[in-house]
Amino acid sequence: MSRLSNMRARDVLHAYRRMTLTRKMATFLLCFIVFVLLLRAYDPSGGLPIPSSEHLHPHKKPSRPLKITKDERLWKERSEIVKEAFHHAYTDYEKFAFGKDELKPLSNGSQNNLNGWGLTIVDSLDTMLLMGLDKEFERGMEFVKGLKFNGDTSRIPFFETIIRYLGGFLSAYYLALQSHVPLHRDTYAPILLKKANELGEVLITAFNTKSGLPVTGLRVQDGSVVLLNPHGETYLAEMASCQMEFKYLAHLTKEAVYFNKSDKVMDLMQEQQGQTPARAMVKENGTMVEKIMNDQNTGLWTIRWYVEDGKMYGNTISAGAMGDSAYEYLLKQYLLSGRTEKRLLNMYLDAMDGIINNMMYLSTRRNLLYVTDLGQWASPSGNMDHLSCYLPGVLALGAKLLNPDYPWPDSNPPSRIRPRAPIPSKDLKAKLDLHMRAAIGLAHTCWVSYEEMETGIGPEIMHFNAPAREDGGLTRDQYESVKWGPKVAEWEKKGRSGPLVGTEGWPASGGRHDWDARDQRYLLRPEAVEAMYLLWKTTGDNIWRERGWKMFEAINTHTRNSVGYTSISYVNALEPHKVNDMPSFYLAETLKYAYLNTLEKDLLPLDRNVFNTEAHPFPAFAWTPQQIKDWGIH
């Protein structure tokens, strides 16, 4: 059969060669046309309907409603599961990477990616104490005893070193003081405070710039601290996420320098708050035109600042990456120091007004509430970072603890200091009610980001598409119809009657989604689990606790490795790709919040403890009248 076919093909070829050039061209054109028609008629699906692009990579179908349990025995079992997860991760770190910064779980290796001071040890000490892992804590402390910070170093990143190392030392000191083990209280606690102070003395030099803003990095050379790029730029989150650590250290050591230098950042932020680009209609030559103005008092800040002159610049505004913890620390500083720093409350309330009015939007199909960054022409990107899931927790925390009627415990030192509200009590309560509604709406979106992925784990970035552009409309106006601020204003104008869109009554997806996983990585981040934990604690609604547990279950299923845990790519795939790293914050934050979420006993009441942005708890305290006077606290 094949031989006959070859003979026929040879005859056809000889006939083609004898043709004139014109006939060859005509034959070639005819064959090409036939080929195109056959290609268009070919059905690769075998006659089955070809799915639209919207369904090529569908979101995971919603599962059955969560079953809420209050069974204490079940939650006890769950707490042991989380503890075992920590033990699995940390034991493998000890085996393959002890003394190095982080474990590389796929290669049984290690990496020094943040100073080489045993990052995972320092970042995990307080989690060990909370879980009662005394032996692990003691082995870690024997390493910490030998740490020195005055030797020559490469670049020391200011922000990460503050929140992970300094925060880790301070929270471990606080918890070790309360330990039932004398060795922890009497021997290790003083060592931890000593290490915190030694590191603080190095890091505080970052503020020795012309403006008083800290540099983003420094290094130790020949026993002296060298500032890196003091004439460059910094970011909002980097310069404004060190005050909790330095103020608690100032409280412990009575050293004014830690307070004064870190609080200088608050001076600069207060002076420039709200002077960000915003759209406004102005009259020019008798005609109303749209312009970008910087005098609209948005309550916000851009993310870029010049270190030399202490001025912010640029157009980008973010409550997520590069901006997130600056907003978080406004509230948490105020709570940490016993509600004595009145201006922080003012700044926080104005900032939340700005975020609600300018940065929150609704998805086009289900009215999912989300927060996004603003860029050129103050236009939204439509992206919501996993990092942004910290925001519902902050809003809920403030909504509960800033209420003028909150019953502060008599045994808590700050209870003697009444909140100094910048607005009348009635108006403050209304504002905080809105904050709680926003918290619930945003936390629901964070839950949806997990629930609708195949792995049950949320992506690094969600993207919400804009409504279709109207004829003649500008691209920058596409999101205006789904901006949440005007809808809140309309709801308030109607006396707050009826439901507030975006905060309740969300329709089911129906198999159709109104967001895409723009970045499908999961980097073992804590923010979504943190939000579920804080919403449970502030609202008392157990649905958030169950959701937090479901998130942990999915994380434990898909990121657990034979050695440690790994970040993953492709959270919307049935078999995600594992990545060779295990960030220290997985043990410091994600597993800590997952563990606290399972406990019936409240180990760290939110009105007595304040978590830094690395989930390191500090106890609330109050400045003395003399400190308020001498240090100019206001």
Side-chain angles (χ1 to χ4, degrees):
M1 182 73 178
S2 59
R3 185 177 179 184
L4 179 61
S5 298
N6 288 339
M7 291 176 59
R8 290 174 178 173
R10 189 165 54 246
D11 293 341
V12 170
L13 180 61
H14 286 321
Y16 180 80
R17 285 176 176 174
R18 290 194 296 269
M19 289 181 184
T20 63
L21 179 61
T22 302
R23 294 192 67 179
K24 283 182 178 180
M25 293 180 63
T27 302
F28 174 80
L29 181 61
L30 179 62
C31 290
F32 178 77
I33 292 172
V34 172
F35 172 77
V36 171
L37 292 173
L38 289 172
L39 186 66
R40 294 186 63 181
Y42 173 64
D43 182 2
S45 67
L48 296 174
I50 298 175
S52 67
S53 60
E54 178 179 329
H55 294 96
L56 286 175
H57 300 286
H59 288 176
K60 174 184 162 187
K61 293 181 180 179
S63 61
R64 292 173 295 180
L66 290 180
K67 180 180 179 181
I68 300 175
T69 179
K70 295 183 180 180
D71 186 338
E72 292 187 14
R73 289 180 300 174
L74 178 57
W75 282 109
K76 175 62 177 175
E77 291 173 5
R78 290 175 172 182
S79 72
E80 291 300 318
I81 293 172
V82 180
K83 185 187 293 189
E84 188 279 330
F86 179 93
H87 190 266
H88 172 72
Y90 191 77
T91 298
D92 286 341
Y93 165 78
E94 284 189 310
K95 182 177 180 180
F96 296 107
F98 189 79
K100 304 297 184 180
D101 284 342
E102 291 178 345
L103 170 69
K104 294 180 75 67
L106 297 182
S107 58
N108 297 352
S110 63
Q111 60 179 342
N112 278 334
N113 54 324
L114 191 62
N115 309 332
W117 297 334
L119 173 62
T120 296
I121 298 171
V122 178
D123 222 4
S124 303
L125 290 172
D126 58 358
T127 310
M128 299 175 204
L129 288 169
L130 288 168
M131 292 183 174
L133 300 174
D134 294 344
K135 296 302 180 183
E136 289 82 355
F137 173 73
E138 290 160 11
R139 290 194 295 268
M141 282 304 304
E142 289 303 308
F143 172 83
V144 167
K145 283 167 58 176
L147 280 176
K148 297 185 183 301
F149 311 112
N150 56 2
D152 288 0
T153 66
S154 56
R155 183 179 185 274
I156 300 174
F158 179 74
F159 169 70
E160 296 290 350
T161 304
I162 288 281
I163 65 171
R164 298 204 207 184
Y165 281 107
L166 185 56
F169 288 137
L170 290 170
S171 63
Y173 162 76
Y174 162 51
L175 295 180
L177 278 181
Q178 302 178 66
S179 174
H180 64 282
V181 180
L183 176 66
H184 299 176
R185 292 194 311 270
D186 303 334
T187 302
Y188 290 147
I191 291 172
L192 288 161
L193 181 56
K194 182 174 182 287
K195 295 301 176 184
N197 195 36
E198 289 174 354
L199 182 56
E201 289 174 346
V202 172
L203 295 173
I204 200 66
T205 61
F207 294 92
N208 294 342
T209 62
K210 185 177 179 181
S211 68
L213 286 185
V215 294
T216 58
L218 42 86
R219 73 171 183 268
V220 178
Q221 182 176 332
D222 299 327
S224 300
V225 179
V226 179
L227 304 188
L228 303 179
N229 201 18
H231 306 295
E233 67 175 20
T234 187
Y235 293 98
L236 180 63
E238 295 218 1
M239 71 189 208
S241 304
C242 60
Q243 288 69 27
M244 282 184 65
E245 294 79 4
F246 278 125
K247 288 181 178 181
Y248 182 41
L249 188 56
H251 167 68
L252 295 173
T253 63
K254 316 303 180 191
E255 292 288 346
V257 64
Y258 292 134
F259 176 88
N260 291 331
K261 285 187 175 289
S262 64
D263 202 52
K264 173 64 176 176
V265 177
M266 295 297 103
D267 293 339
L268 295 170
M269 288 177 62
Q270 185 179 27
E271 291 169 6
Q272 299 173 63
Q273 185 170 14
Q275 299 173 22
T276 61
R279 285 193 258 174
M281 299 300 294
V282 297
K283 182 175 286 189
E284 286 188 355
N285 300 322
T287 304
M288 298 300 292
V289 296
E290 186 180 50
K291 300 192 74 172
I292 286 290
M293 311 288 286
N294 285 71
D295 60 355
Q296 301 301 297
N297 193 20
T298 62
L300 304 170
W301 298 272
T302 60
I303 61 172
R304 288 184 168 84
W305 291 64
Y306 288 121
V307 172
E308 189 165 24
D309 64 8
K311 301 294 184 183
M312 66 179 177
Y313 74 97
N315 300 311
T316 304
I317 303 169
S318 173
M322 296 183 287
D324 47 5
S325 46
Y327 294 97
E328 175 186 1
Y329 271 35
L330 292 174
L331 173 66
K332 291 186 173 181
Q333 285 182 76
Y334 178 71
L335 297 174
L336 179 66
S337 58
R339 311 185 303 286
T340 52
E341 299 177 62
K342 180 182 177 182
R343 67 166 174 173
L344 295 173
L345 177 57
N346 296 340
M347 293 167 69
Y348 169 74
L349 293 174
D350 288 347
M352 293 305 106
D353 283 348
I355 291 173
I356 287 170
N357 293 327
N358 298 283
M359 303 179 72
M360 289 191 186
Y361 291 80
L362 298 166
S363 68
T364 54
R365 290 177 178 165
R366 287 180 286 169
N367 290 325
L368 300 176
L369 184 64
Y370 65 96
V371 61
T372 189
D373 52 292
L374 306 177
Q376 195 73 21
W377 275 93
S379 297
S381 70
N383 292 337
M384 179 172 167
D385 307 329
H386 190 287
L387 288 166
S388 297
C389 285
Y390 83 94
L391 186 57
V394 170
L395 284 164
L397 184 66
K400 183 177 182 70
L401 297 184
L402 297 180
N403 191 312
D405 297 332
Y406 183 78
W408 290 93
D410 293 337
S411 59
N412 191 19
S415 68
R416 297 192 292 269
I417 305 167
R418 299 307 301 165
R420 304 176 183 178
I423 58 178
S425 177
K426 180 181 178 181
D427 295 339
L428 178 59
K429 288 180 180 180
K431 188 182 292 288
L432 297 177
D433 173 72
L434 177 60
H435 288 190
M436 184 59 83
R437 292 171 186 266
I440 291 171
L442 291 173
H444 177 77
T445 301
C446 294
W447 162 246
V448 165
S449 77
Y450 275 62
E451 173 67 3
E452 295 185 356
M453 291 288 95
E454 285 289 350
T455 58
I457 301 174
E460 178 72 357
I461 299 176
M462 306 173 73
H463 178 74
F464 293 87
N465 295 317
R469 189 172 66 180
E470 296 180 2
D471 292 341
L474 298 173
T475 300
R476 65 173 183 257
D477 293 329
Q478 279 185 269
Y479 282 90
E480 282 300 300
S481 65
V482 291
K483 193 172 185 178
W484 196 50
K487 300 183 188 301
V488 172
E490 184 65 25
W491 174 72
E492 291 185 324
K493 186 178 179 181
K494 294 178 179 178
R496 297 191 166 205
S497 62
L500 175 58
V501 63
T503 66
E504 56 184 305
W506 301 274
S509 67
R512 306 179 71 190
H513 54 274
D514 42 9
W515 64 276
D516 295 305
R518 177 64 56 91
D519 183 341
Q520 286 203 33
R521 294 176 298 162
Y522 173 64
L523 306 179
L524 296 175
R525 292 198 188 277
E527 292 81 15
V529 176
E530 173 188 2
M532 301 302 110
Y533 168 68
L534 290 173
L535 265 289
W536 169 48
K537 284 297 181 183
T538 53
T539 67
D541 188 342
N542 285 289
I543 187 65
W544 302 109
R545 191 184 193 192
E546 289 288 349
R547 288 171 173 173
W549 172 251
K550 283 295 182 184
M551 288 178 175
F552 167 75
E553 278 192 315
I555 293 167
N556 199 36
T557 297
H558 293 286
T559 70
R560 189 177 178 113
N561 189 51
S562 58
V563 172
Y565 286 79
T566 74
S567 299
I568 58 174
S569 298
Y570 309 113
V571 294
N572 202 26
L574 291 174
E575 296 183 6
H577 175 72
K578 291 185 176 181
V579 180
N580 192 21
D581 75 334
M582 187 178 79
S584 70
F585 54 71
Y586 180 62
L587 293 90
E589 300 185 74
T590 310
L591 292 179
K592 183 185 288 131
Y593 283 124
Y595 180 68
L596 293 173
N597 189 58
T598 64
L599 301 182
E600 294 297 319
K601 182 180 180 181
D602 199 351
L603 295 183
L604 296 167
L606 297 177
D607 55 4
R608 304 186 190 198
N609 302 273
V610 188
F611 291 93
N612 86 337
T613 197
E614 189 76 4
H616 294 309
F618 304 155
F621 63 88
W623 299 118
T624 67
Q626 193 64 44
Q627 287 171 330
I628 292 173
K629 178 182 177 181
D630 293 346
W631 298 358
I633 298 173
H634 59 286

